[in-house]
Amino acid sequence: MALAIEDYALISDCYTGALVGKDGSIDWLCMPRYDSASIFGALLGTEDHGRWLLAPTHPEATAERHYRGESFVLVTTWTTPTGVVEVIDAMPRGDHSANIVRRIRGISGSVELHVDLRMRFSYASTVPWVQQLHDASNTLQAVAGPDALVIRGVELTASDHSHEATFTVHEGDVIDHSLAWYPSHKPLPAPVSGSVGIRATEKWWNDWASTFTHRGSYSSEVLRSLLVLRALTHADTGGVAAAATTSLPEHFGGTRNWDYRYVWLRDASQTLSALLAHGYKEEVDHWRWWLLRAIAGDPADVQIMYGLAGERFLPEYEIDSLPGYHGASPVRVGNAAAKQFQADVIGEVMIALHDARLVGLEENAFSWSLQRALMTRLDQVGHRPDQGIWEIRGPARDFTHSRVMVWAAYDRAIRGAEEFGLDGPVEDWRRRRMSLRREIERHGYDPRRNTFTQHFQTAEVDASLLQLTQVGFVAPDDPRMLGTVRAIEQDLLHHGFLMRYRSSTDIDGLPAGEYPFLACSFWLVEQYARSGRIDAAHELMQRLCGIANDVGLLSEEYSPVSGRQAGNTPQALSHLALVRAADAIARAEGYGESLVGGGSPSRELGQADD
């Protein structure tokens, strides 16, 4: 049985990632990309669905772990009654190959360790053909269809579709194990140098982190979150995966299990704004070119999500070769939301690209024409009911958040023209922006309760309304926004954490039941900080940071009753919302105003809409 979700740490080479459990087992690995089929799938089943265990045999062994410096080089120190060993897990950066190094160092005494390697290709549907090459590296070669692995290290013995070894490590010993993926039609990859790979990987991550600046509280949490966002950004294409996993349940034992290993325009746009706010411009330009490639063609064909290289075809299907995390089925690959209409995503993109302008990234020959094309498309469809930010699988609605994000798209287009001299039908954009404001204030606001509403046909509230201040539609201390916050607190707070919406209303067409959504609680922190409730902001922020795991990772949701993380992990949206919340607190405490990410109301709240 898989461990608790919070018991896993990520190692990554910015192409894919592996989840390493506290028990020393790699239970999730897809190669060569995050959205490839799994090689180790025990996370969504049992050890027989694929894993790579490396741990002491002694039942009293205890483990402590940390990332080395500001990297994704994971160090686990095992202490047993007979001695201490250190296991260093890393995915080497810079060699453009998909591999893992697991280095064992004897620290003191002697420790007996066990290796259990169970390779299961294609989501555990295929057991590969394995041969031992009987060379000095004890090489194993595993092949199934287009995929192949080469494993080197201590000699392993085959036993009922697994390969195992038990050996003793003494003080001063250093033993390397390595695994590399390669296309099965290509030659066997050369051995990986553990020392070189680990050093280069640690240096790359620490160099990337060295430019980080953040004054105020929660600096270490912000940096680790930015590192997570970088790990989820594909090194070649610039696509930002929403998470490293598929089908971890939003409710334990339930059916809300989705594949998040793709690029949502919404999440990627917000990620880029978070990176921009901390000086990481290169990733933004990389993503901007990814966007140009992904949505090239007819603007009418723009999707809300794509593959890591911009693939459009992401059909959702269920697989029966994996039983699901602790039995939560189905396990899904692909995501049907790719074909949904979500009106807000163009607004998210326009905000991110405007943020890029604010920090000095100039528009290139294609980027503004792309934005003009997106605005033309919005002219045609921005008024339509949609599935909204939460990808509702019920009927399309006039979601208030979606309408506000359409408003924000026009606002950023107007500001591009007014502030940067870019060309466009500015007067038409102004009329549409004004019309949207009037529509939202008339139909998306409940004067009886003094709150904005989830959609135009309901009095329900939704945590996404907290983003109205983030994009500058309304000031954080506007009486209507303060009323909205009170309503959200009354309706959606659950044991101190915020739900997305009340799933019992059947709004989403799915069985009721999910846990508080971590990004929403961080949005509430940001709203508290920006409206002067700094003590409440700190209280909630500390509660949220306290549920990160031992290496600082957050999943999508959290069960405050069981004290467990839930949903796919690590989740980009949770970490970028953490960054925004910490930045809002820092600004409230007088540490300066960022050019981006603050949602500062400007002329759009006054004369520009007149």
Side-chain angles (χ1 to χ4, degrees):
M1 189 73 73
L3 302 178
I5 292 170
E6 62 269 18
D7 287 341
Y8 289 99
L10 176 74
I11 56 175
S12 174
D13 61 359
C14 297
Y15 293 92
T16 187
L19 293 188
V20 186
K22 282 185 175 180
D23 60 354
S25 180
I26 296 179
D27 284 352
W28 185 253
L29 175 65
C30 302
M31 282 187 162
R33 305 194 327 182
Y34 281 113
D35 54 356
S36 299
S38 66
I39 292 168
F40 301 135
L43 180 69
L44 300 179
T46 70
E47 62 268 21
D48 285 331
H49 296 95
R51 72 163 183 182
W52 186 8
L53 174 71
L54 173 57
T57 60
H58 201 287
E60 296 178 19
T62 59
E64 294 184 356
R65 61 185 186 171
H66 64 276
Y67 287 124
R68 183 178 280 176
E70 308 302 345
S71 75
F72 279 96
V73 175
L74 180 69
V75 180
T76 303
T77 302
W78 290 95
T79 302
T80 75
T82 62
V84 178
V85 295
E86 183 180 81
V87 177
I88 303 172
D89 290 314
M91 299 189 74
R93 278 274 313 154
D95 60 1
H96 298 285
S97 60
N99 54 68
I100 294 176
V101 172
R102 311 194 76 179
R103 165 163 285 194
I104 307 163
R105 294 178 60 240
I107 305 300
S108 64
S110 61
V111 179
E112 184 180 75
L113 291 102
H114 183 68
V115 175
D116 180 12
L117 176 67
R118 306 187 187 201
M119 297 169 285
R120 304 291 189 267
F121 290 8
S122 300
Y123 301 110
S125 66
T126 304
V127 177
W129 173 72
V130 181
Q131 65 171 337
Q132 297 202 26
L133 302 189
H134 302 291
D135 58 8
S137 300
N138 299 309
T139 302
L140 287 182
Q141 182 186 35
V143 178
D147 299 304
L149 295 177
V150 56
I151 298 93
R152 298 180 172 98
V154 300
E155 185 175 2
L156 301 177
T157 301
S159 175
D160 192 24
H161 299 303
S162 70
H163 290 77
E164 302 180 51
T166 301
F167 56 98
T168 299
V169 175
H170 303 280
E171 181 178 342
D173 288 348
V174 176
I175 300 173
D176 285 343
H177 293 248
S178 67
L179 175 151
W181 174 92
Y182 66 103
S184 59
H185 64 280
K186 293 290 187 69
L188 205 69
V192 176
S193 169
S195 297
V196 172
I198 291 171
R199 279 200 305 270
T201 301
E202 184 178 356
K203 182 179 185 303
W204 188 90
W205 282 110
N206 285 320
D207 285 349
W208 189 86
S210 65
T211 61
F212 168 77
T213 57
H214 182 270
R215 294 187 299 163
S217 307
Y218 313 107
S219 288
S220 61
E221 291 87 351
V222 169
L223 178 53
R224 178 50 59 182
S225 291
L226 292 173
L227 286 163
V228 169
L229 297 176
R230 183 63 188 88
L232 293 172
T233 303
H234 193 277
D236 287 344
T237 70
V240 184
T245 57
T246 180
S247 301
L248 290 178
E250 296 177 4
H251 193 272
F252 296 126
T255 61
R256 293 171 180 253
N257 316 320
W258 316 109
D259 192 349
Y260 279 11
R261 299 171 299 157
Y262 308 110
V263 185
W264 271 255
L265 293 186
R266 177 189 306 110
D267 293 15
S269 299
Q270 294 184 25
T271 294
L272 270 296
S273 291
L275 291 170
L276 272 173
H278 294 274
Y280 292 101
K281 297 182 182 180
E282 181 180 342
E283 286 74 15
V284 177
D285 196 46
H286 200 190
W287 176 81
R288 187 163 60 175
W289 281 107
W290 175 92
L291 179 68
L292 288 167
R293 295 190 304 271
I295 68 175
D298 190 338
D301 297 328
V302 171
Q303 298 181 178
I304 62 105
M305 58 184 289
Y306 297 85
L308 289 171
E311 297 90 346
R312 293 171 175 266
F313 189 57
L314 305 174
E316 180 180 302
Y317 59 95
E318 299 175 4
I319 57 175
D320 57 14
S321 53
L322 291 171
Y325 179 80
H326 292 191
S329 62
V331 170
R332 294 182 173 94
V333 172
N335 200 303
K339 296 301 181 183
Q340 285 186 351
F341 172 60
Q342 297 174 21
D344 68 297
V345 296
I346 292 178
E348 302 282 6
V349 170
M350 294 296 292
I351 290 169
L353 294 177
H354 183 71
D355 285 349
R357 289 192 290 270
L358 289 174
V359 299
L361 283 179
E362 295 182 1
E363 299 289 355
N364 58 45
F366 303 102
S367 59
W368 180 245
S369 62
L370 163 71
Q371 292 167 73
R372 287 282 306 271
L374 291 176
M375 296 309 300
T376 299
R377 176 61 178 164
L378 209 53
D379 292 344
Q380 300 164 354
V381 302
H383 63 284
R384 283 171 39 190
D386 73 324
Q387 259 56 50
I389 183 175
W390 306 129
E391 300 176 352
I392 299 301
R393 299 205 173 195
R397 310 275 187 172
D398 296 302
F399 286 104
T400 302
H401 171 268
S402 295
R403 287 292 204 277
V404 168
M405 296 308 296
V406 173
W407 173 92
Y410 284 107
D411 179 73
R412 292 337 187 249
I414 293 165
R415 293 172 65 180
E418 293 178 342
E419 298 170 20
F420 295 91
L422 300 170
D423 65 301
V426 179
E427 288 305 319
D428 183 55
W429 288 341
R430 288 196 184 106
R431 284 192 296 271
R432 291 179 184 273
R433 183 178 65 176
M434 189 67 241
S435 176
L436 280 160
R437 174 173 289 281
R438 289 169 176 162
E439 178 189 41
I440 293 162
E441 293 180 340
R442 182 179 302 117
H443 300 295
Y445 173 72
D446 180 0
R448 294 169 299 179
R449 200 180 180 192
N450 186 31
T451 179
F452 289 99
T453 59
Q454 182 184 47
H455 59 82
F456 290 179
Q457 294 80 34
T458 187
E460 291 284 328
V461 293
D462 189 298
S464 66
L465 297 170
L466 294 168
Q467 292 198 312
L468 271 58
T469 62
Q470 295 178 10
V471 302
F473 181 79
V474 64
D477 58 354
D478 185 294
R480 296 168 300 173
M481 195 63 209
L482 298 180
T484 301
V485 171
R486 282 192 294 271
I488 286 173
E489 290 171 329
Q490 291 168 6
D491 292 2
L492 302 181
L493 271 178
H494 175 67
H495 294 277
F497 299 91
L498 206 59
M499 310 291 290
R500 294 187 294 177
Y501 50 85
R502 294 201 296 191
S503 62
S504 59
T505 62
D506 199 33
I507 180 70
D508 56 15
L510 295 167
E514 66 171 8
Y515 302 118
F517 198 82
L518 293 177
C520 297
S521 294
F522 284 117
W523 294 343
L524 186 58
V525 171
E526 181 177 351
Q527 168 62 26
Y528 284 160
R530 297 184 65 214
S531 60
R533 296 175 62 182
I534 192 65
D535 290 342
H538 274 298
E539 180 184 356
L540 181 52
M541 187 70 170
Q542 290 165 9
R543 190 183 312 142
L544 287 162
C545 291
I547 66 175
N549 74 358
D550 57 325
V551 290
L553 303 185
L554 292 166
S555 66
E556 180 181 30
E557 300 188 353
Y558 179 71
S559 169
V561 175
S562 66
R564 293 180 56 192
Q565 293 190 21
N568 286 306
T569 194
Q571 177 85 356
L573 189 58
S574 298
H575 282 281
L576 68 89
L578 182 155
V579 173
R580 287 190 60 103
D583 288 349
I585 290 173
R587 288 192 294 269
E589 293 181 332
Y591 288 104
E593 182 73 25
S594 171
L595 285 172
V596 302
S600 300
S602 57
R603 291 192 300 163
E604 68 269 21
L605 291 183
Q607 66 267 32
D609 265 354
D610 294 337

